[in-house]
């Protein structure tokens, strides 16, 4: 089996209380144990790092475009085979369009939260190649209705 480069885009934090709760770190560990090169890009972390005012609203409004460029520059350099999107809060369909312009990688969404209509996840899911969710039924149907090409449970 050929080793793959896998980029995981997620909201992560290094606070001691939440360090082990983020599934993106578990995914990266699992891919690494399977022999792949996996790394995590913290979308919210990049926003907070760039913003002089540590406010989600302020950083999203004034620094989101710069974080999108940072992500795309990172993807150009890393050249992943797979990009796993864990639906960071500020990531939107425009971010995915930017990612698509710089890579031919497979874009996979991993949704571990029910109610995909919240925070426009269905709109982002419709721009990805695959969405894997931990909830079936009406929640996965929301992705299907939005036009997501392939949905998995």
């Amino acid at each position: 089996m050929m080793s793959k480069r896998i980029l995981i885009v997620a909201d992560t934090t290094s606070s001691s209380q939440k360090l082990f709760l983020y599934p993106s770190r578990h995914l990266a560990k699992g891919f690494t144990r399977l022999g792949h090169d996996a790394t995590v890009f913290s979308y919210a972390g990049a926003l907070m790092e760039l913003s002089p005012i540590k406010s989600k609203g302020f950083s999203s409004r004034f620094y989101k475009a710069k974080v999108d460029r940072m992500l795309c520059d990172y993807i150009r350099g890393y050249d992943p085979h797979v990009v796993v999107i864990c639906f960071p809060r500020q990531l939107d369909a425009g971010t995915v369009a930017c990612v698509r312009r710089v890579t031919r990688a497979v874009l996979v969404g991993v949704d571990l939260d029910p109610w995909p209509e919240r925070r426009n996840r269905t709109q982002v899911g419709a721009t990805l190649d695959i969405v894997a969710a931990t909830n079936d039924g009406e929640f996965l149907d929301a992705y299907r209705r939005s036009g997501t090409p392939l949905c998995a449970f």
Side-chain angles (χ1 to χ4, degrees):
M1 176 177 79
M2 187 179 118
S3 177
K4 303 281 185 201
R5 285 182 305 280
I6 302 170
L7 175 64
I8 301 167
V9 181
D11 281 340
T12 59
T13 183
S14 58
S15 73
S16 59
Q17 296 88 3
K18 295 186 177 181
L19 181 63
F20 301 105
L21 297 178
Y22 289 102
S24 55
R25 296 193 192 278
H26 297 274
L27 284 171
K29 262 180 140 174
F31 286 133
T32 301
R33 286 181 180 167
L34 290 171
H36 303 292
D37 178 25
T39 189
V40 177
F41 180 91
S42 175
Y43 198 87
L47 271 171
M48 287 295 120
E49 183 179 323
L50 289 175
S51 178
I53 299 172
K54 304 308 175 198
S55 159
K56 289 179 186 176
F58 180 85
S59 60
S60 293
R61 183 176 194 151
F62 295 105
Y63 291 94
K64 184 186 175 321
K66 189 168 185 176
V67 171
D68 288 350
R69 286 192 302 273
M70 280 177 59
L71 173 61
C72 289
D73 288 344
Y74 188 82
I75 288 172
R76 267 191 217 100
Y78 184 59
D79 191 26
H81 297 103
V82 179
V83 177
V84 177
I85 308 266
C86 293
F87 295 96
R89 289 181 193 266
Q90 290 84 7
L91 188 135
D92 58 15
T95 306
V96 176
C98 174
V99 168
R100 284 218 183 267
R101 284 192 294 274
V102 298
T103 187
R104 296 185 67 196
V106 175
L107 304 184
V108 179
V110 175
D111 189 2
L112 304 176
D113 191 20
W115 303 288
E117 291 88 4
R118 292 183 184 171
R119 296 190 328 248
N120 300 320
R121 291 195 315 254
T122 54
Q123 287 88 352
V124 173
T127 63
L128 303 174
D129 299 316
I130 304 166
V131 171
T134 57
N135 41 39
D136 196 9
E138 67 183 79
F139 300 121
L140 203 54
D141 283 341
Y143 282 111
R144 291 183 185 109
R145 284 190 307 273
S146 73
T148 302
L150 183 61
C151 298
F153 170 63

